[in-house]
Short mmCIF file of all heavy atoms in Angstrom, two decimals:
data_model
loop_
_atom_site.label_atom_id
_atom_site.label_comp_id
_atom_site.label_asym_id
_atom_site.label_seq_id
_atom_site.Cartn_x
_atom_site.Cartn_y
_atom_site.Cartn_z
N MET A 1 0.83 -1.19 0.00
CA MET A 1 0.00 0.00 0.00
C MET A 1 0.87 1.25 0.00
O MET A 1 0.58 2.21 -0.71
CB MET A 1 -0.92 -0.01 1.21
CG MET A 1 -1.93 1.12 1.24
SD MET A 1 -3.11 1.09 -0.13
CE MET A 1 -4.16 -0.26 0.38
N GLN A 2 1.92 1.24 0.79
CA GLN A 2 2.80 2.40 0.83
C GLN A 2 3.42 2.67 -0.54
O GLN A 2 3.50 3.82 -0.98
CB GLN A 2 3.90 2.18 1.88
CG GLN A 2 3.36 2.17 3.29
CD GLN A 2 4.39 1.66 4.27
OE1 GLN A 2 5.11 0.72 4.00
NE2 GLN A 2 4.44 2.30 5.43
N GLN A 3 3.86 1.63 -1.23
CA GLN A 3 4.44 1.79 -2.56
C GLN A 3 3.40 2.32 -3.55
O GLN A 3 3.71 3.14 -4.42
CB GLN A 3 5.01 0.46 -3.06
CG GLN A 3 6.23 -0.01 -2.28
CD GLN A 3 7.39 0.97 -2.41
OE1 GLN A 3 7.66 1.50 -3.47
NE2 GLN A 3 8.07 1.23 -1.30
N ALA A 4 2.16 1.86 -3.42
CA ALA A 4 1.09 2.34 -4.31
C ALA A 4 0.84 3.83 -4.08
O ALA A 4 0.61 4.58 -5.03
CB ALA A 4 -0.19 1.54 -4.08
N PHE A 5 0.88 4.28 -2.84
CA PHE A 5 0.74 5.71 -2.55
C PHE A 5 1.84 6.50 -3.25
O PHE A 5 1.59 7.56 -3.82
CB PHE A 5 0.76 5.98 -1.04
CG PHE A 5 -0.60 5.99 -0.40
CD1 PHE A 5 -1.39 4.85 -0.38
CD2 PHE A 5 -1.09 7.14 0.18
CE1 PHE A 5 -2.64 4.86 0.21
CE2 PHE A 5 -2.34 7.17 0.77
CZ PHE A 5 -3.12 6.03 0.78
N LEU A 6 3.05 5.99 -3.22
CA LEU A 6 4.16 6.69 -3.88
C LEU A 6 3.98 6.69 -5.39
O LEU A 6 4.18 7.71 -6.05
CB LEU A 6 5.50 6.03 -3.50
CG LEU A 6 5.94 6.21 -2.06
CD1 LEU A 6 7.20 5.39 -1.79
CD2 LEU A 6 6.18 7.67 -1.73
N ARG A 7 3.59 5.55 -5.96
CA ARG A 7 3.43 5.45 -7.42
C ARG A 7 2.36 6.39 -7.95
O ARG A 7 2.46 6.92 -9.05
CB ARG A 7 3.07 4.02 -7.83
CG ARG A 7 4.26 3.11 -8.01
CD ARG A 7 3.87 1.81 -8.69
NE ARG A 7 2.96 1.02 -7.88
CZ ARG A 7 3.36 0.19 -6.91
NH1 ARG A 7 4.63 0.06 -6.62
NH2 ARG A 7 2.48 -0.50 -6.23
N HIS A 8 1.30 6.62 -7.15
CA HIS A 8 0.16 7.41 -7.62
C HIS A 8 0.13 8.83 -7.03
O HIS A 8 -0.91 9.49 -7.09
CB HIS A 8 -1.15 6.68 -7.30
CG HIS A 8 -1.30 5.41 -8.06
ND1 HIS A 8 -1.73 5.37 -9.36
CD2 HIS A 8 -1.04 4.13 -7.71
CE1 HIS A 8 -1.76 4.13 -9.79
NE2 HIS A 8 -1.34 3.35 -8.81
N ASP A 9 1.23 9.28 -6.45
CA ASP A 9 1.27 10.61 -5.84
C ASP A 9 0.12 10.80 -4.86
O ASP A 9 -0.60 11.81 -4.89
CB ASP A 9 1.22 11.72 -6.90
CG ASP A 9 2.49 11.77 -7.72
OD1 ASP A 9 3.57 11.45 -7.17
OD2 ASP A 9 2.41 12.13 -8.91
N GLY A 10 -0.06 9.82 -3.98
CA GLY A 10 -1.15 9.87 -3.00
C GLY A 10 -0.81 10.71 -1.78
O GLY A 10 -1.43 10.53 -0.73
N LEU A 11 0.16 11.59 -1.90
CA LEU A 11 0.52 12.48 -0.80
C LEU A 11 1.24 13.70 -1.33
O LEU A 11 1.80 13.67 -2.41
CB LEU A 11 1.39 11.77 0.23
CG LEU A 11 2.77 11.33 -0.29
CD1 LEU A 11 3.83 11.66 0.73
CD2 LEU A 11 2.74 9.86 -0.63
N GLN A 12 1.17 14.76 -0.53
CA GLN A 12 1.97 15.94 -0.82
C GLN A 12 2.84 16.25 0.39
O GLN A 12 4.01 15.94 0.41
CB GLN A 12 1.07 17.12 -1.20
CG GLN A 12 0.45 16.94 -2.58
CD GLN A 12 -0.37 18.13 -2.99
OE1 GLN A 12 -0.16 19.25 -2.54
NE2 GLN A 12 -1.34 17.91 -3.86
N CYS A 13 2.24 16.82 1.46
CA CYS A 13 3.06 17.13 2.63
C CYS A 13 3.31 15.89 3.49
O CYS A 13 4.26 15.84 4.25
CB CYS A 13 2.41 18.23 3.47
SG CYS A 13 0.97 17.69 4.42
N GLY A 14 2.42 14.90 3.40
CA GLY A 14 2.59 13.66 4.15
C GLY A 14 1.97 13.67 5.54
O GLY A 14 2.02 12.64 6.24
N TYR A 15 1.38 14.79 5.94
CA TYR A 15 0.83 14.87 7.30
C TYR A 15 -0.27 13.84 7.53
O TYR A 15 -0.33 13.20 8.57
CB TYR A 15 0.29 16.29 7.54
CG TYR A 15 -0.22 16.51 8.93
CD1 TYR A 15 0.65 16.76 9.97
CD2 TYR A 15 -1.59 16.46 9.19
CE1 TYR A 15 0.19 16.96 11.25
CE2 TYR A 15 -2.06 16.66 10.48
CZ TYR A 15 -1.16 16.91 11.51
OH TYR A 15 -1.62 17.11 12.77
N CYS A 16 -1.13 13.65 6.54
CA CYS A 16 -2.26 12.72 6.71
C CYS A 16 -1.91 11.29 6.30
O CYS A 16 -2.70 10.38 6.51
CB CYS A 16 -3.46 13.19 5.89
SG CYS A 16 -3.24 12.97 4.09
N THR A 17 -0.76 11.09 5.69
CA THR A 17 -0.46 9.83 5.01
C THR A 17 -0.49 8.60 5.92
O THR A 17 -1.04 7.56 5.53
CB THR A 17 0.89 9.94 4.27
OG1 THR A 17 0.85 11.09 3.43
CG2 THR A 17 1.15 8.71 3.42
N PRO A 18 0.08 8.64 7.14
CA PRO A 18 0.01 7.43 7.98
C PRO A 18 -1.43 6.98 8.22
O PRO A 18 -1.74 5.78 8.14
CB PRO A 18 0.70 7.84 9.27
CG PRO A 18 1.63 8.94 8.85
CD PRO A 18 0.90 9.68 7.77
N GLY A 19 -2.31 7.93 8.50
CA GLY A 19 -3.72 7.59 8.72
C GLY A 19 -4.39 7.09 7.46
O GLY A 19 -5.21 6.17 7.50
N GLN A 20 -4.04 7.72 6.34
CA GLN A 20 -4.63 7.28 5.06
C GLN A 20 -4.21 5.84 4.75
O GLN A 20 -5.04 5.03 4.33
CB GLN A 20 -4.18 8.20 3.92
CG GLN A 20 -4.56 9.66 4.08
CD GLN A 20 -6.01 9.97 3.76
OE1 GLN A 20 -6.82 9.08 3.49
NE2 GLN A 20 -6.35 11.24 3.80
N VAL A 21 -2.96 5.52 4.95
CA VAL A 21 -2.47 4.17 4.65
C VAL A 21 -3.12 3.16 5.59
O VAL A 21 -3.57 2.09 5.15
CB VAL A 21 -0.93 4.11 4.73
CG1 VAL A 21 -0.43 2.68 4.65
CG2 VAL A 21 -0.30 4.95 3.62
N CYS A 22 -3.21 3.48 6.87
CA CYS A 22 -3.86 2.56 7.82
C CYS A 22 -5.32 2.35 7.44
O CYS A 22 -5.82 1.22 7.48
CB CYS A 22 -3.74 3.09 9.24
SG CYS A 22 -2.09 2.97 9.92
N SER A 23 -6.02 3.42 7.09
CA SER A 23 -7.42 3.28 6.69
C SER A 23 -7.55 2.48 5.40
O SER A 23 -8.48 1.69 5.25
CB SER A 23 -8.06 4.66 6.50
OG SER A 23 -8.21 5.30 7.73
N ALA A 24 -6.63 2.68 4.48
CA ALA A 24 -6.67 1.94 3.21
C ALA A 24 -6.52 0.44 3.46
O ALA A 24 -7.21 -0.38 2.84
CB ALA A 24 -5.58 2.44 2.28
N VAL A 25 -5.65 0.08 4.38
CA VAL A 25 -5.50 -1.34 4.73
C VAL A 25 -6.80 -1.84 5.37
O VAL A 25 -7.24 -2.97 5.11
CB VAL A 25 -4.28 -1.53 5.66
CG1 VAL A 25 -4.22 -2.95 6.20
CG2 VAL A 25 -2.99 -1.19 4.91
N GLY A 26 -7.43 -0.98 6.17
CA GLY A 26 -8.72 -1.35 6.76
C GLY A 26 -9.80 -1.53 5.71
O GLY A 26 -10.64 -2.43 5.82
N VAL A 27 -9.77 -0.70 4.66
CA VAL A 27 -10.72 -0.84 3.56
C VAL A 27 -10.56 -2.21 2.90
O VAL A 27 -11.54 -2.90 2.63
CB VAL A 27 -10.51 0.28 2.51
CG1 VAL A 27 -11.27 -0.03 1.22
CG2 VAL A 27 -10.95 1.61 3.08
N LEU A 28 -9.32 -2.60 2.67
CA LEU A 28 -9.07 -3.92 2.06
C LEU A 28 -9.65 -5.02 2.93
O LEU A 28 -10.27 -5.97 2.44
CB LEU A 28 -7.58 -4.15 1.87
CG LEU A 28 -6.84 -3.22 0.93
CD1 LEU A 28 -5.37 -3.59 0.89
CD2 LEU A 28 -7.45 -3.25 -0.45
N ASP A 29 -9.45 -4.91 4.23
CA ASP A 29 -9.94 -5.92 5.16
C ASP A 29 -11.46 -5.98 5.16
O ASP A 29 -12.06 -7.07 5.14
CB ASP A 29 -9.41 -5.62 6.56
CG ASP A 29 -9.60 -6.78 7.52
OD1 ASP A 29 -9.14 -7.90 7.18
OD2 ASP A 29 -10.20 -6.57 8.58
N GLU A 30 -12.10 -4.81 5.15
CA GLU A 30 -13.56 -4.77 5.11
C GLU A 30 -14.10 -5.43 3.85
O GLU A 30 -15.06 -6.20 3.90
CB GLU A 30 -14.06 -3.32 5.16
CG GLU A 30 -13.91 -2.65 6.50
CD GLU A 30 -14.32 -1.19 6.47
OE1 GLU A 30 -14.81 -0.70 5.42
OE2 GLU A 30 -14.17 -0.54 7.51
N LEU A 31 -13.47 -5.11 2.71
CA LEU A 31 -13.95 -5.67 1.44
C LEU A 31 -13.73 -7.18 1.40
O LEU A 31 -14.58 -7.93 0.92
CB LEU A 31 -13.24 -4.99 0.27
CG LEU A 31 -13.64 -3.54 0.03
CD1 LEU A 31 -12.73 -2.88 -1.01
CD2 LEU A 31 -15.10 -3.42 -0.41
N ARG A 32 -12.59 -7.64 1.91
CA ARG A 32 -12.31 -9.09 1.91
C ARG A 32 -13.31 -9.85 2.77
O ARG A 32 -13.62 -11.00 2.50
CB ARG A 32 -10.90 -9.35 2.43
CG ARG A 32 -9.84 -9.03 1.42
CD ARG A 32 -8.47 -9.55 1.85
NE ARG A 32 -7.45 -9.03 0.96
CZ ARG A 32 -6.45 -8.24 1.33
NH1 ARG A 32 -6.29 -7.92 2.59
NH2 ARG A 32 -5.60 -7.80 0.44
N HIS A 33 -13.81 -9.19 3.82
CA HIS A 33 -14.77 -9.84 4.70
C HIS A 33 -16.22 -9.57 4.29
O HIS A 33 -17.15 -9.96 5.00
CB HIS A 33 -14.53 -9.39 6.15
CG HIS A 33 -13.30 -9.99 6.74
ND1 HIS A 33 -12.07 -9.36 6.71
CD2 HIS A 33 -13.08 -11.19 7.34
CE1 HIS A 33 -11.17 -10.13 7.28
NE2 HIS A 33 -11.75 -11.25 7.66
N GLY A 34 -16.42 -8.86 3.18
CA GLY A 34 -17.76 -8.64 2.66
C GLY A 34 -18.61 -7.70 3.50
O GLY A 34 -19.84 -7.77 3.45
N GLN A 35 -17.98 -6.81 4.24
CA GLN A 35 -18.74 -5.90 5.08
C GLN A 35 -19.34 -4.78 4.23
O GLN A 35 -18.61 -4.12 3.49
CB GLN A 35 -17.84 -5.30 6.17
CG GLN A 35 -17.33 -6.33 7.14
CD GLN A 35 -16.35 -5.74 8.13
OE1 GLN A 35 -15.95 -4.59 8.03
NE2 GLN A 35 -15.95 -6.55 9.09
N PRO A 36 -20.65 -4.53 4.33
CA PRO A 36 -21.26 -3.45 3.56
C PRO A 36 -20.92 -2.08 4.15
O PRO A 36 -20.51 -1.97 5.31
CB PRO A 36 -22.76 -3.73 3.69
CG PRO A 36 -22.90 -4.48 4.96
CD PRO A 36 -21.62 -5.27 5.15
N SER A 37 -21.10 -1.05 3.32
CA SER A 37 -20.92 0.33 3.80
C SER A 37 -22.22 1.08 3.54
O SER A 37 -23.21 0.50 3.09
CB SER A 37 -19.76 1.01 3.07
OG SER A 37 -20.16 1.37 1.76
N HIS A 38 -22.22 2.39 3.77
CA HIS A 38 -23.42 3.19 3.55
C HIS A 38 -23.79 3.31 2.08
O HIS A 38 -24.91 3.68 1.75
CB HIS A 38 -23.25 4.58 4.16
CG HIS A 38 -23.24 4.57 5.65
ND1 HIS A 38 -24.35 4.28 6.41
CD2 HIS A 38 -22.25 4.79 6.53
CE1 HIS A 38 -24.05 4.34 7.68
NE2 HIS A 38 -22.77 4.63 7.79
N VAL A 39 -22.87 3.04 1.17
CA VAL A 39 -23.17 3.16 -0.25
C VAL A 39 -23.35 1.81 -0.94
O VAL A 39 -23.53 1.76 -2.15
CB VAL A 39 -22.09 3.98 -1.00
CG1 VAL A 39 -22.01 5.40 -0.45
CG2 VAL A 39 -20.74 3.31 -0.94
N THR A 40 -23.32 0.73 -0.18
CA THR A 40 -23.52 -0.60 -0.76
C THR A 40 -24.98 -0.77 -1.14
O THR A 40 -25.86 -0.58 -0.29
CB THR A 40 -23.10 -1.69 0.25
OG1 THR A 40 -21.75 -1.47 0.65
CG2 THR A 40 -23.22 -3.07 -0.37
N ASP A 41 -25.23 -1.10 -2.41
CA ASP A 41 -26.61 -1.26 -2.88
C ASP A 41 -27.26 -2.51 -2.28
O ASP A 41 -28.37 -2.45 -1.76
CB ASP A 41 -26.64 -1.36 -4.41
CG ASP A 41 -26.33 -0.02 -5.06
OD1 ASP A 41 -26.65 1.02 -4.44
OD2 ASP A 41 -25.78 -0.02 -6.16
N ASP A 42 -26.60 -3.64 -2.39
CA ASP A 42 -27.15 -4.91 -1.91
C ASP A 42 -26.32 -5.39 -0.72
O ASP A 42 -25.22 -5.94 -0.91
CB ASP A 42 -27.11 -5.94 -3.05
CG ASP A 42 -27.71 -7.27 -2.64
OD1 ASP A 42 -28.17 -7.41 -1.48
OD2 ASP A 42 -27.70 -8.19 -3.48
N VAL A 43 -26.83 -5.18 0.48
CA VAL A 43 -26.04 -5.51 1.68
C VAL A 43 -25.94 -7.02 1.90
O VAL A 43 -25.17 -7.46 2.74
CB VAL A 43 -26.62 -4.83 2.94
CG1 VAL A 43 -26.52 -3.32 2.81
CG2 VAL A 43 -28.05 -5.26 3.20
N ALA A 44 -26.71 -7.80 1.14
CA ALA A 44 -26.64 -9.26 1.28
C ALA A 44 -25.54 -9.86 0.40
O ALA A 44 -25.12 -10.99 0.61
CB ALA A 44 -27.98 -9.88 0.91
N ALA A 45 -25.05 -9.08 -0.58
CA ALA A 45 -24.01 -9.57 -1.48
C ALA A 45 -22.65 -8.98 -1.07
O ALA A 45 -22.59 -8.01 -0.32
CB ALA A 45 -24.33 -9.14 -2.92
N ASP A 46 -21.58 -9.60 -1.55
CA ASP A 46 -20.25 -9.04 -1.30
C ASP A 46 -20.14 -7.71 -2.02
O ASP A 46 -20.52 -7.59 -3.19
CB ASP A 46 -19.17 -9.98 -1.84
CG ASP A 46 -18.98 -11.20 -0.94
OD1 ASP A 46 -19.39 -11.12 0.24
OD2 ASP A 46 -18.42 -12.19 -1.41
N PRO A 47 -19.64 -6.67 -1.35
CA PRO A 47 -19.54 -5.34 -1.98
C PRO A 47 -18.50 -5.33 -3.09
O PRO A 47 -17.44 -5.95 -2.96
CB PRO A 47 -19.14 -4.42 -0.83
CG PRO A 47 -18.52 -5.32 0.19
CD PRO A 47 -19.17 -6.66 0.04
N GLU A 48 -18.84 -4.62 -4.17
CA GLU A 48 -17.89 -4.43 -5.27
C GLU A 48 -16.93 -3.30 -4.86
O GLU A 48 -17.35 -2.31 -4.27
CB GLU A 48 -18.62 -4.04 -6.54
CG GLU A 48 -19.52 -5.13 -7.11
CD GLU A 48 -18.71 -6.31 -7.60
OE1 GLU A 48 -17.64 -6.10 -8.18
OE2 GLU A 48 -19.15 -7.44 -7.37
N PRO A 49 -15.67 -3.41 -5.20
CA PRO A 49 -14.70 -2.35 -4.82
C PRO A 49 -14.75 -1.16 -5.77
O PRO A 49 -13.78 -0.84 -6.45
CB PRO A 49 -13.35 -3.07 -4.88
CG PRO A 49 -13.55 -4.14 -5.89
CD PRO A 49 -15.01 -4.56 -5.80
N THR A 50 -15.91 -0.50 -5.83
CA THR A 50 -16.08 0.65 -6.72
C THR A 50 -15.41 1.88 -6.11
O THR A 50 -15.07 1.89 -4.91
CB THR A 50 -17.56 0.96 -6.92
OG1 THR A 50 -18.12 1.31 -5.64
CG2 THR A 50 -18.32 -0.24 -7.49
N ASP A 51 -15.27 2.92 -6.93
CA ASP A 51 -14.70 4.17 -6.42
C ASP A 51 -15.57 4.73 -5.29
O ASP A 51 -15.04 5.24 -4.30
CB ASP A 51 -14.58 5.21 -7.54
CG ASP A 51 -13.45 4.89 -8.51
OD1 ASP A 51 -12.67 3.94 -8.25
OD2 ASP A 51 -13.33 5.60 -9.53
N ASP A 52 -16.89 4.64 -5.43
CA ASP A 52 -17.78 5.13 -4.37
C ASP A 52 -17.58 4.36 -3.07
O ASP A 52 -17.60 4.94 -1.98
CB ASP A 52 -19.25 5.04 -4.80
CG ASP A 52 -19.64 6.13 -5.77
OD1 ASP A 52 -18.87 7.11 -5.90
OD2 ASP A 52 -20.70 6.01 -6.40
N GLU A 53 -17.41 3.03 -3.18
CA GLU A 53 -17.16 2.22 -1.97
C GLU A 53 -15.85 2.65 -1.30
O GLU A 53 -15.79 2.80 -0.08
CB GLU A 53 -17.10 0.73 -2.32
CG GLU A 53 -18.44 0.07 -2.54
CD GLU A 53 -19.20 -0.22 -1.26
OE1 GLU A 53 -18.67 -0.02 -0.14
OE2 GLU A 53 -20.36 -0.65 -1.38
N ILE A 54 -14.81 2.82 -2.09
CA ILE A 54 -13.51 3.20 -1.53
C ILE A 54 -13.59 4.59 -0.91
O ILE A 54 -13.13 4.81 0.21
CB ILE A 54 -12.41 3.12 -2.61
CG1 ILE A 54 -12.22 1.67 -3.06
CG2 ILE A 54 -11.10 3.71 -2.09
CD1 ILE A 54 -11.35 1.51 -4.29
N ARG A 55 -14.23 5.53 -1.63
CA ARG A 55 -14.36 6.90 -1.09
C ARG A 55 -15.13 6.89 0.23
O ARG A 55 -14.74 7.56 1.19
CB ARG A 55 -15.08 7.80 -2.09
CG ARG A 55 -14.24 8.20 -3.27
CD ARG A 55 -14.94 9.28 -4.09
NE ARG A 55 -14.24 9.58 -5.31
CZ ARG A 55 -14.60 9.18 -6.51
NH1 ARG A 55 -15.71 8.47 -6.67
NH2 ARG A 55 -13.88 9.47 -7.56
N GLU A 56 -16.24 6.16 0.29
CA GLU A 56 -17.04 6.11 1.50
C GLU A 56 -16.23 5.52 2.66
O GLU A 56 -16.22 6.04 3.78
CB GLU A 56 -18.30 5.27 1.26
CG GLU A 56 -19.08 4.90 2.50
CD GLU A 56 -19.57 6.09 3.32
OE1 GLU A 56 -19.71 7.19 2.76
OE2 GLU A 56 -19.81 5.90 4.53
N ARG A 57 -15.51 4.46 2.39
CA ARG A 57 -14.76 3.79 3.46
C ARG A 57 -13.54 4.60 3.90
O ARG A 57 -13.06 4.44 5.02
CB ARG A 57 -14.35 2.39 3.00
CG ARG A 57 -15.55 1.46 2.81
CD ARG A 57 -15.20 0.22 2.03
NE ARG A 57 -16.37 -0.51 1.62
CZ ARG A 57 -16.96 -1.47 2.34
NH1 ARG A 57 -16.45 -1.81 3.49
NH2 ARG A 57 -18.03 -2.07 1.89
N MET A 58 -13.05 5.48 3.05
CA MET A 58 -11.92 6.35 3.40
C MET A 58 -12.39 7.72 3.90
O MET A 58 -11.56 8.58 4.20
CB MET A 58 -11.03 6.57 2.16
CG MET A 58 -10.32 5.34 1.65
SD MET A 58 -9.01 4.75 2.73
CE MET A 58 -7.81 6.07 2.56
N SER A 59 -13.70 7.93 3.99
CA SER A 59 -14.23 9.28 4.16
C SER A 59 -13.90 9.93 5.51
O SER A 59 -14.05 11.13 5.64
CB SER A 59 -15.75 9.28 3.96
OG SER A 59 -16.37 8.51 4.96
N GLY A 60 -13.47 9.20 6.48
CA GLY A 60 -13.14 9.81 7.76
C GLY A 60 -11.81 10.51 7.79
O GLY A 60 -11.48 11.18 8.77
N ASN A 61 -11.03 10.36 6.73
CA ASN A 61 -9.69 10.94 6.69
C ASN A 61 -9.66 12.18 5.81
O ASN A 61 -9.99 12.12 4.64
CB ASN A 61 -8.69 9.93 6.12
CG ASN A 61 -8.52 8.77 7.05
OD1 ASN A 61 -7.95 8.91 8.10
ND2 ASN A 61 -9.06 7.62 6.67
N LEU A 62 -9.25 13.29 6.39
CA LEU A 62 -9.15 14.52 5.62
C LEU A 62 -7.70 14.73 5.18
O LEU A 62 -6.77 14.41 5.91
CB LEU A 62 -9.60 15.72 6.46
CG LEU A 62 -11.04 15.65 6.96
CD1 LEU A 62 -11.35 16.89 7.78
CD2 LEU A 62 -12.01 15.50 5.82
N CYS A 63 -7.56 15.27 3.97
CA CYS A 63 -6.25 15.61 3.43
C CYS A 63 -6.29 17.07 3.04
O CYS A 63 -6.97 17.43 2.08
CB CYS A 63 -5.92 14.72 2.22
SG CYS A 63 -4.39 15.18 1.40
N ARG A 64 -5.60 17.90 3.78
CA ARG A 64 -5.63 19.33 3.49
C ARG A 64 -4.93 19.66 2.18
O ARG A 64 -5.13 20.73 1.62
CB ARG A 64 -5.04 20.12 4.65
CG ARG A 64 -5.85 19.96 5.91
CD ARG A 64 -5.47 20.92 6.98
NE ARG A 64 -4.05 20.86 7.29
CZ ARG A 64 -3.47 21.61 8.21
NH1 ARG A 64 -4.19 22.46 8.90
NH2 ARG A 64 -2.20 21.51 8.45
N CYS A 65 -4.09 18.79 1.70
CA CYS A 65 -3.41 19.01 0.42
C CYS A 65 -4.29 18.62 -0.76
O CYS A 65 -3.96 18.94 -1.89
CB CYS A 65 -2.11 18.23 0.37
SG CYS A 65 -0.91 18.74 1.60
N GLY A 66 -5.35 17.89 -0.50
CA GLY A 66 -6.25 17.50 -1.59
C GLY A 66 -5.68 16.42 -2.49
O GLY A 66 -5.90 16.44 -3.70
N ALA A 67 -5.00 15.45 -1.91
CA ALA A 67 -4.38 14.38 -2.70
C ALA A 67 -5.35 13.22 -2.92
O ALA A 67 -4.92 12.09 -3.17
CB ALA A 67 -3.12 13.89 -2.00
N TYR A 68 -6.63 13.50 -2.87
CA TYR A 68 -7.63 12.42 -2.90
C TYR A 68 -7.58 11.59 -4.19
O TYR A 68 -7.78 10.38 -4.14
CB TYR A 68 -9.04 12.98 -2.71
CG TYR A 68 -9.23 13.62 -1.36
CD1 TYR A 68 -9.42 14.99 -1.24
CD2 TYR A 68 -9.21 12.86 -0.20
CE1 TYR A 68 -9.58 15.59 0.00
CE2 TYR A 68 -9.37 13.45 1.05
CZ TYR A 68 -9.56 14.82 1.14
OH TYR A 68 -9.71 15.39 2.37
N ALA A 69 -7.33 12.23 -5.31
CA ALA A 69 -7.30 11.47 -6.58
C ALA A 69 -6.19 10.42 -6.55
O ALA A 69 -6.39 9.27 -6.95
CB ALA A 69 -7.12 12.42 -7.75
N GLY A 70 -5.02 10.80 -6.05
CA GLY A 70 -3.92 9.86 -5.97
C GLY A 70 -4.16 8.78 -4.93
O GLY A 70 -3.79 7.62 -5.12
N ILE A 71 -4.78 9.16 -3.82
CA ILE A 71 -5.10 8.19 -2.77
C ILE A 71 -6.07 7.15 -3.32
O ILE A 71 -5.87 5.94 -3.14
CB ILE A 71 -5.70 8.91 -1.54
CG1 ILE A 71 -4.63 9.78 -0.88
CG2 ILE A 71 -6.29 7.89 -0.56
CD1 ILE A 71 -5.15 10.74 0.18
N LEU A 72 -7.10 7.60 -4.01
CA LEU A 72 -8.07 6.67 -4.59
C LEU A 72 -7.39 5.74 -5.59
O LEU A 72 -7.63 4.53 -5.58
CB LEU A 72 -9.20 7.45 -5.27
CG LEU A 72 -10.25 6.61 -5.99
CD1 LEU A 72 -10.98 5.70 -5.00
CD2 LEU A 72 -11.24 7.52 -6.71
N ALA A 73 -6.53 6.29 -6.42
CA ALA A 73 -5.83 5.46 -7.41
C ALA A 73 -4.94 4.42 -6.72
O ALA A 73 -4.85 3.27 -7.17
CB ALA A 73 -5.00 6.35 -8.33
N ALA A 74 -4.30 4.81 -5.63
CA ALA A 74 -3.44 3.87 -4.92
C ALA A 74 -4.25 2.73 -4.29
O ALA A 74 -3.88 1.56 -4.42
CB ALA A 74 -2.66 4.61 -3.83
N VAL A 75 -5.35 3.08 -3.65
CA VAL A 75 -6.18 2.04 -3.02
C VAL A 75 -6.76 1.13 -4.11
O VAL A 75 -6.77 -0.10 -3.95
CB VAL A 75 -7.30 2.67 -2.17
CG1 VAL A 75 -8.20 1.59 -1.60
CG2 VAL A 75 -6.71 3.52 -1.06
N ARG A 76 -7.19 1.74 -5.21
CA ARG A 76 -7.76 0.95 -6.30
C ARG A 76 -6.72 -0.05 -6.84
O ARG A 76 -7.04 -1.20 -7.11
CB ARG A 76 -8.25 1.86 -7.43
CG ARG A 76 -8.63 1.13 -8.70
CD ARG A 76 -9.63 1.87 -9.51
NE ARG A 76 -10.92 1.99 -8.89
CZ ARG A 76 -11.75 0.97 -8.64
NH1 ARG A 76 -11.41 -0.25 -8.95
NH2 ARG A 76 -12.90 1.17 -8.08
N GLU A 77 -5.48 0.39 -7.01
CA GLU A 77 -4.44 -0.51 -7.51
C GLU A 77 -4.28 -1.71 -6.60
O GLU A 77 -4.21 -2.86 -7.08
CB GLU A 77 -3.10 0.22 -7.62
CG GLU A 77 -1.98 -0.69 -8.09
CD GLU A 77 -0.59 -0.12 -7.89
OE1 GLU A 77 -0.40 1.05 -8.25
OE2 GLU A 77 0.27 -0.83 -7.38
N VAL A 78 -4.25 -1.49 -5.30
CA VAL A 78 -4.04 -2.61 -4.38
C VAL A 78 -5.27 -3.49 -4.30
O VAL A 78 -5.15 -4.72 -4.23
CB VAL A 78 -3.64 -2.07 -2.98
CG1 VAL A 78 -3.49 -3.23 -1.99
CG2 VAL A 78 -2.35 -1.26 -3.08
N VAL A 79 -6.45 -2.90 -4.35
CA VAL A 79 -7.69 -3.69 -4.32
C VAL A 79 -7.75 -4.62 -5.53
O VAL A 79 -8.18 -5.77 -5.42
CB VAL A 79 -8.92 -2.75 -4.31
CG1 VAL A 79 -10.20 -3.50 -4.67
CG2 VAL A 79 -9.08 -2.10 -2.95
N GLU A 80 -7.29 -4.13 -6.68
CA GLU A 80 -7.38 -4.92 -7.90
C GLU A 80 -6.23 -5.89 -8.08
O GLU A 80 -6.25 -6.70 -8.99
CB GLU A 80 -7.46 -3.98 -9.11
CG GLU A 80 -8.74 -3.17 -9.13
CD GLU A 80 -8.78 -2.11 -10.22
OE1 GLU A 80 -7.72 -1.84 -10.83
OE2 GLU A 80 -9.86 -1.55 -10.44
N ALA A 81 -5.21 -5.80 -7.22
CA ALA A 81 -4.04 -6.69 -7.36
C ALA A 81 -4.37 -8.10 -6.87
O ALA A 81 -5.26 -8.34 -6.12
CB ALA A 81 -2.87 -6.13 -6.57
S1 FES B 101 -0.74 15.01 1.99
FE1 FES B 101 -0.82 16.88 3.04
S2 FES B 101 -2.59 16.65 4.30
FE2 FES B 101 -2.65 14.91 3.02
#
């Protein structure tokens, strides 16, 4: 996950990065265990790792630098690996 953040410019100042990386790992764990989120359409099925699912699950972390596009790309890369 850390390498994916670097590859996708998922940080600028780095202040939020430790929390973002920890949450991203938590997102992977939630998806692997089939836990629904607030944006999951069918809570009885395994959630698809869509951009909306990733954004919702990462939504508690603020990035004052606005590196959200890179963060999303990094999480998406690891989810799809
Ligand atoms: S990288 Fe600066 S606050 Fe997120």
